[in-house]
Amino acid sequence: MDVFLSSLQMVFTYQVIGVILLGAAFGLFVGATPGLSATMAVALLVPVTFFLSPVAAIGAIVACSAMSIFAGDIPGALLRIPGTPASAAYMRELDALTQKGRLDLSLGLSMCVSVMGGLVGTAVLVIAAPQLARVALRFSSYEYFWLALLGLSCATMVAGKDRLKGTLSLLLGLALTMVGLDVTTGLPRYTFGVIDLQAGVSLIAVMIGAFAVAEILRSAAAPLTQPRKPAAAGFSILKGQFGNLWRFKLPVLRGSLMGTVIGALPGAGADIAAWIAFAVSQRFSKVKANYGKGEPEAIAGSASANNAALSGSYVPALVFGIPGDSITAIVVGVLVLKGIQPGPMVFVTSPDLVNAIYIVFVLANLLIIPLGLAAVMGGRHVLGLRPGLLYPAILLMCVLGTFATNNALFDLWTLAAIGVLVWIMEANDYPAAPLVLGLVLGKIVEESFMSSMIKADGNLLTFFERPIAGTLGVITILVWILPPLVAMWRRRRRTPELT
C-alpha cells in the first residue's frame, strides 16, 4: 500500500499531469494527420524527455501513443482516410456509418471501445505481465510464421463480397513485399536496377496512396459542387454508448484480450492486432453480411484491439527489457538514459516506478474521452470546407507525411503510383484493404519461413513440433479447409435426392 501511495504522489504533480496533457494533445494532432504514425509522434518527443523526470517522460510517451492510436479514426470517419495504419482495418465501417449520418455512432463507439481496450490491456498488464511475457518469449520464427499466415488466411474476410478479387488484391500486396533485398541471401529482387527499391516498398507510402490519394482521385472524378454539410456530432456521441458497450461486450472483450496478447509479441503491434481482430470478429459474427456496410460490431472488435496492443507491448519491455514494438524500444532507451534498466529487477528495485506507469496508462486512456470529444467537435467542420480547399490541403499533408517517414523522394513516386493503381482497382471493385494487409504480413511470413526452414534443415514437420506453433498451424489449416467443406455439405443438403 505504501508503494502504491508513493506512486500516486509521483504521478499527481503539476509537472507530470501537465506533461501528460501536452503529450496527449500532441498525439491527437499527429494521429489525425495521415502519414504521421504513433511511432513518429513518440520519436519527436524524445528530445523533450531529456529534461523530464522518468515518470513524466514515460507519461508523455504513453499519453501521446494512446491518443494518436485513437486519433487515426477521426480522418477515417470524416474523410475516408485513416490517420494511422491500425485505423485502416475498419475504416470502411467508420466511413459507411458517417455516410448514413451516424458520425456520432462511429466515432463515439470507437472512442469508448478504445478506452475499454486500453483499460483491459492495462489490467492484464498489471495482473498477468510475467505470465504473458513468458508466452511471448516462447514465440520463435515458427510461431510467427503461423500467426502471420493465419492473418493472411483471414484477409479475404475483409475483402467484401467477391473473394476472388480480394485474393488478387492480397497477392498484389504480397508481390510488393518481394521487392528489395532477399531476406536470406541479401541479393536484390525485382528492383530493376533502381537503388531506391533495394530498401523495399514503403508501407506508409503504400497505405497513404491506397487510402488517401485514391480517395482524393475518386472525389476529383466526381467533384462536389457544394461542400458537405458538417456532420452532427457533439456531446451526443457519448449518448447510448454504455448500452453499445454492453451490446458488443463479447467483441470488445475478445478484441481487447487478443490485442493485449498480440501486442506482447515482439515486433507485432497495434497494426497487426487491428487487422487480425477485425478478421476474427467477422469470422465469429452473426451479421457477417453487414461488414463493410457500417457495422458497429466491427468497430467494437477492432478499435478495442488497438489500444490493448499498446498496453500489451509493455509486457516484454518491463519484465524482460525486450521491446515489444518500436514505441517500447524508445521507452526502453529513455529509461536507460534515466539510469533505470528494464527487466525482472525493476519490479524489485523500482516498484513505485512500475506502479506509476500503470497509473499513467489508466490516466492516458481516460483522457481519450475529453480530448477526443473536443477533436471530433472541431474536426467535423472539416466536412463543411469547399472541396477545392479541402482536398489540396489533405494531399499536401499526405505528401509531407510520406516524405517525413524516410526523407526519400522516391517514396513520393510510390505514393502517386499506388494511389492511381488503387483508384483504378476500386473503380473495378477490387478492395484495397487486402493489398495493405498483404504488405504488412507478407514480410513477416517470408522472414519467419526462411529462418524456420534453415533451422529445421528443410523438415516441414518441425513447424508442428512446438506446442504453440502446432496449435496455430492446425487452426490455420482448419481456416483453409473448413469453408469449402461446409459449403459442399450445405450444397449436398440442398440438392434433392434422386429417386
Side-chain angles (χ1 to χ4, degrees):
M1 189 65 182
D2 292 338
V3 173
F4 182 71
L5 292 176
S6 175
S7 301
L8 287 175
Q9 292 175 357
M10 294 171 67
V11 173
F12 288 95
T13 65
Y14 291 113
Q15 183 202 34
V16 174
I17 296 297
V19 165
I20 289 176
L21 287 171
L22 290 175
F26 179 68
L28 191 64
F29 168 76
V30 172
T33 304
L36 302 183
S37 63
T39 303
M40 186 180 298
V42 171
L44 293 173
L45 282 180
V46 170
V48 180
T49 62
F50 295 157
F51 308 99
L52 301 175
S53 65
V55 175
I58 300 302
I61 292 174
V62 170
C64 176
S65 53
M67 192 64 69
S68 60
I69 291 293
F70 159 71
D73 296 351
I74 297 176
L78 293 176
L79 302 168
R80 203 168 176 259
I81 300 171
T84 59
S87 303
Y90 50 96
M91 181 199 64
R92 286 188 303 171
E93 314 298 334
L94 295 170
D95 175 68
L97 284 175
T98 302
Q99 296 293 335
K100 296 176 182 177
R102 297 306 311 273
L103 179 67
D104 55 341
L105 176 60
S106 63
L107 284 180
L109 182 61
S110 169
M111 181 189 303
C112 292
V113 299
S114 293
V115 174
M116 289 302 299
L119 293 178
V120 170
T122 302
V124 174
L125 173 65
V126 174
I127 297 171
Q131 289 75 17
L132 275 177
R134 290 191 190 99
V135 174
L137 287 179
R138 290 177 184 171
F139 266 65
S140 65
S141 58
Y142 300 103
E143 287 79 8
Y144 274 111
F145 168 74
W146 286 119
L147 181 65
L149 193 60
L150 179 61
L152 287 176
S153 303
C154 297
T156 52
M157 297 179 186
V158 301
K161 294 181 180 179
D162 197 325
R163 294 289 179 88
L164 177 59
K165 290 184 176 180
T167 302
L168 291 175
S169 178
L170 175 66
L171 292 175
L172 180 58
L174 292 175
L176 291 176
T177 65
M178 302 290 288
V179 177
L181 299 179
D182 187 279
V183 295
T184 306
T185 64
L187 297 175
R189 302 179 303 187
Y190 306 110
T191 59
F192 306 103
V194 180
I195 296 177
D196 294 287
L197 284 177
Q198 290 188 3
V201 179
S202 170
L203 172 62
I204 294 295
V206 171
M207 189 202 76
I208 299 177
F211 294 116
V213 176
E215 173 65 16
I216 292 171
L217 291 173
R218 187 180 70 85
S219 302
L224 296 173
T225 56
Q226 296 292 332
R228 292 169 63 182
K229 184 179 178 181
F235 287 99
S236 62
I237 69 174
L238 298 177
K239 184 178 179 181
Q241 295 304 337
F242 286 108
N244 287 329
L245 288 175
W246 178 254
R247 177 186 170 194
F248 301 118
K249 55 184 179 296
L250 288 179
V252 170
L253 181 61
R254 181 175 58 227
S256 300
L257 295 177
M258 189 179 302
T260 305
V261 173
I262 293 175
L265 305 177
D271 304 352
I272 296 175
W275 285 103
I276 293 180
F278 183 94
V280 172
S281 178
Q282 185 173 8
R283 183 70 182 86
F284 292 98
S285 175
K286 297 179 180 179
V287 288
K288 297 177 184 178
N290 293 340
Y291 275 60
K293 302 176 182 177
E295 175 53 49
E297 180 184 291
I299 300 173
S302 305
S304 57
N306 286 357
N307 282 47
L310 188 65
S311 303
S313 65
Y314 279 74
V315 172
L318 287 177
V319 179
F320 293 99
I322 299 173
D325 59 4
S326 54
I327 293 176
T328 48
I330 297 173
V331 170
V332 169
V334 169
L335 288 176
V336 171
L337 287 173
K338 300 292 182 183
I340 300 170
Q341 180 61 52
M345 289 305 296
V346 76
F347 291 85
V348 178
T349 58
S350 305
D352 50 351
L353 174 65
V354 175
N355 283 308
I357 293 175
Y358 296 156
I359 296 170
V360 164
F361 260 107
V362 174
L363 285 177
N365 283 287
L366 292 178
L367 278 175
I368 289 177
I369 293 180
L371 292 182
L373 183 61
V376 172
M377 292 174 66
R380 68 189 178 92
H381 293 290
V382 169
L383 295 179
L385 296 175
R386 284 181 30 228
L389 296 175
L390 177 61
Y391 290 113
I394 295 172
L395 184 59
L396 177 61
M397 286 193 296
C398 293
V399 170
L400 292 176
T402 302
F403 182 77
T405 305
N406 298 314
N407 292 326
L409 186 62
F410 187 81
D411 287 352
L412 300 183
W413 290 106
T414 304
L415 174 78
I418 294 296
V420 173
L421 174 63
V422 172
W423 172 52
I424 296 172
M425 287 172 55
E426 290 190 331
N428 293 278
D429 298 324
Y430 285 85
L435 183 149
V436 177
L437 183 60
L439 189 61
V440 171
L441 295 181
K443 191 175 183 64
I444 300 175
V445 169
E446 183 188 8
E447 291 180 354
S448 302
F449 178 75
M450 295 305 296
S451 299
S452 301
M453 288 297 287
I454 292 172
K455 289 188 292 185
D457 198 21
N459 183 9
L460 292 175
L461 292 179
T462 310
F463 283 79
F464 295 90
E465 291 178 352
R466 296 166 61 90
I468 300 177
T471 303
L472 289 173
V474 170
I475 293 173
T476 303
I477 294 173
L478 287 176
V479 168
W480 293 346
I481 64 175
L482 280 182
L485 290 178
V486 171
M488 289 175 58
W489 178 71
R490 287 176 177 173
R491 279 199 299 268
R492 297 186 78 176
R493 285 192 62 185
R494 292 196 199 104
T495 303
E497 295 183 2
L498 298 176
T499 55

